[in-house]
Every structure is written in structure tokens, then in C-alpha cells.
């Protein structure tokens, strides 16, 4: 049985929040070479569950524009709009070529050994790195896999163009 404690502590999917999140900065965050309005990518956890609390994205242009972030457990497909959970929607002040931290309305909980798909749509655009299917980037607790680029929110897939997320991932690990 869980007894109440004096200090708040959230438990989500075997992840206990007892402190500050870890921060993972992608290897090419200082030198992205592409951009997208919509970027879809996957996060595959290793032996521990993680809970993502925030993402730091890099703006293509400065200004206050609409940004939406969605996720779903499992692999992504452009035909499954209704399976996505929106964790952020609203006007965000992005800074050109600088990481801006965006805090979610709800954490993205990913069980150990599982995949979650994330989709970021920024009307002003975001910076990313050119990639191809099968590429991946290793972090301590997870692996990032690049994904599709879109011109509009969940629409207009850019054929044969893949992007790797660049920025920061703030997360708790179990």
C-alpha cells in the first residue's frame, strides 16, 4: 500500500519522480543541417522505464507561433491520427537556432524495452538533422530513431526525407 508522504512524489509506469529530470542533449544540437514544420521520431527505452517531462526544440525562426506535440506508444503511421495523445498545444516563443524548453501538460511514460513515437509540429519550423531510415542515436537510457518530415500537421509527408530530432530531452528514469 502506498502511504501519503509529506513530499510530493509522482509514480508513472515504474518511474518515481523524486528529483530533477535528467537532460539528454542530442549530438548535433549545436549544428543541425535541416528543418521541418512537422517531425516524427521514435524513442526506444532500454532496461528502464522513462517518463519524458519536457522537450527542448530548436526554432528555425524567432517568434511566437503555434506548437503542438503528440505521442503514442508503439510505432507510428500517418494513418493513425486518432491514436495520438496531445501533450502540448499553444503559442510558444521560439528563438532562432536556440533550444527552447517546452513543458508538457502530461508526461510521456514509456515502459522498459518499449517504443514511443513523438510528433512535433511547429508553424514556424524547427531545426533537425538529415537522416535516413535505420539511423539511430544512443543515449544512456534510450535510443532515438529518426522519422518522417511533414509540411502540415499530420499531412503532406515529404517523400524520402527523414529527420533526426535535435534539441534536449528532459526525463525521469526508473
Amino acid at each position: 500500500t502506498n502511504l501519503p508522504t509529506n513530499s510530493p512524489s509522482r509514480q508513472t509506469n515504474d518511474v518515481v519522480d523524486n528529483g530533477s529530470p535528467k537532460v539528454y542533449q542530442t549530438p548535433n544540437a549545436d549544428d543541425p543541417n535541416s528543418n521541418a514544420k512537422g517531425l516524427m521520431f521514435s524513442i526506444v527505452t532500454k532496461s528502464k522505464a522513462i517518463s519524458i517531462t519536457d522537450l527542448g526544440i530548436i526554432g528555425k525562426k524567432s517568434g511566437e507561433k503555434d506548437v503542438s506535440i503528440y505521442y503514442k506508444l508503439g510505432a507510428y503511421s500517418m494513418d493513425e491520427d486518432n491514436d495520438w495523445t496531445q501533450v502540448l498545444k499553444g503559442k510558444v516563443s521560439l528563438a532562432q537556432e536556440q533550444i527552447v524548453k517546452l513543458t508538457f501538460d502530461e508526461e510521456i511514460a514509456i515502459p522498459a524495452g518499449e517504443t514511443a513515437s513523438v510528433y512535433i509540429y511547429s508553424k514556424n519550423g524547427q531545426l533537425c538533422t538529415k537522416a535516413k531510415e535505420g539511423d539511430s542515436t544512443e543515449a544512456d537510457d534510450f535510443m532515438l530513431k529518426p522519422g518522417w518530415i511533414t509540411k502540415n500537421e499530420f499531412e503532406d509527408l515529404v517523400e524520402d526525407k527523414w529527420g533526426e530530432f535535435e534539441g534536449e530531452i528532459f526525463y525521469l528514469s526508473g
Side-chain angles (χ1 to χ4, degrees), residues 5 19 23 33 42 46 64 69 75 121 136 138 153-154 158 163:
T5 62
V23 182
N33 63 11
S42 296
K46 294 182 180 178
E64 191 167 303
I69 299 176
Y121 180 77
S136 64
E138 293 277 334
E153 196 163 358
F154 283 108
V158 179

Side-chain angles (χ1 to χ4, degrees), residues 111-137:
E114 297 290 326
T115 298
S117 298
V118 178
Y119 180 68
I120 305 169
Y121 180 77
S122 170
K123 242 184 180 156
N124 250 5
Q126 61 194 299
L127 298 183
C128 59
T129 296
K130 292 176 187 171
K132 59 186 183 299
E133 188 174 9
D135 287 352
S136 64
T137 303

Side-chain angles (χ1 to χ4, degrees), residues 69-173:
I69 299 176
Y70 303 84
Y71 85 97
K72 65 177 274 174
L73 291 178
Y76 56 81
S77 162
M78 291 301 285
D79 301 327
E80 303 175 22
D81 299 40
N82 58 349
D83 289 346
W84 295 84
T85 300
Q86 191 167 40
V87 291
L88 183 129
K89 181 181 177 78
K91 298 257 185 231
V92 173
S93 286
L94 294 179
Q96 184 174 355
E97 298 180 10
Q98 293 184 26
I99 296 173
V100 174
K101 182 179 177 182
L102 306 176
T103 300
F104 299 154
D105 298 329
E106 160 189 336
E107 293 178 1
I108 298 174
I110 311 169
E114 297 290 326
T115 298
S117 298
V118 178
Y119 180 68
I120 305 169
Y121 180 77
S122 170
K123 242 184 180 156
N124 250 5
Q126 61 194 299
L127 298 183
C128 59
T129 296
K130 292 176 187 171
K132 59 186 183 299
E133 188 174 9
D135 287 352
S136 64
T137 303
E138 293 277 334
D140 289 343
D141 297 311
F142 55 87
M143 183 171 48
L144 287 176
K145 293 187 174 186
W148 298 329
I149 288 177
T150 65
K151 291 182 185 173
N152 292 300
E153 196 163 358
F154 283 108
E155 295 179 345
D156 303 326
L157 181 66
V158 179
E159 293 297 322
D160 299 321
K161 189 170 180 186
W162 288 73
E164 187 173 291
F165 170 75
E166 294 301 344
E168 294 176 333
I169 298 173
F170 297 79
Y171 69 99
L172 304 163
S173 65

Side-chain angles (χ1 to χ4, degrees), residues 1-67:
T1 344
N2 286 343
L3 299 173
T5 62
N6 291 334
S7 61
S9 152
R10 288 181 298 222
Q11 184 161 357
T12 313
N13 223 17
D14 298 327
V15 176
V16 179
D17 178 359
N18 284 327
S20 298
K22 295 179 182 180
V23 182
Y24 170 73
Q25 184 170 338
T26 58
N28 297 312
D30 294 332
D31 192 25
N33 63 11
S34 190
N35 66 80
K37 286 193 174 189
L39 176 65
M40 203 171 287
F41 61 96
S42 296
I43 299 170
V44 182
T45 56
K46 294 182 180 178
S47 60
K48 297 178 186 174
I50 68 169
S51 188
I52 300 171
T53 58
D54 318 89
L55 278 182
I57 71 169
I58 305 170
K60 178 183 174 188
K61 299 183 226 171
S62 294
E64 191 167 303
K65 286 289 185 183
D66 291 328
V67 174

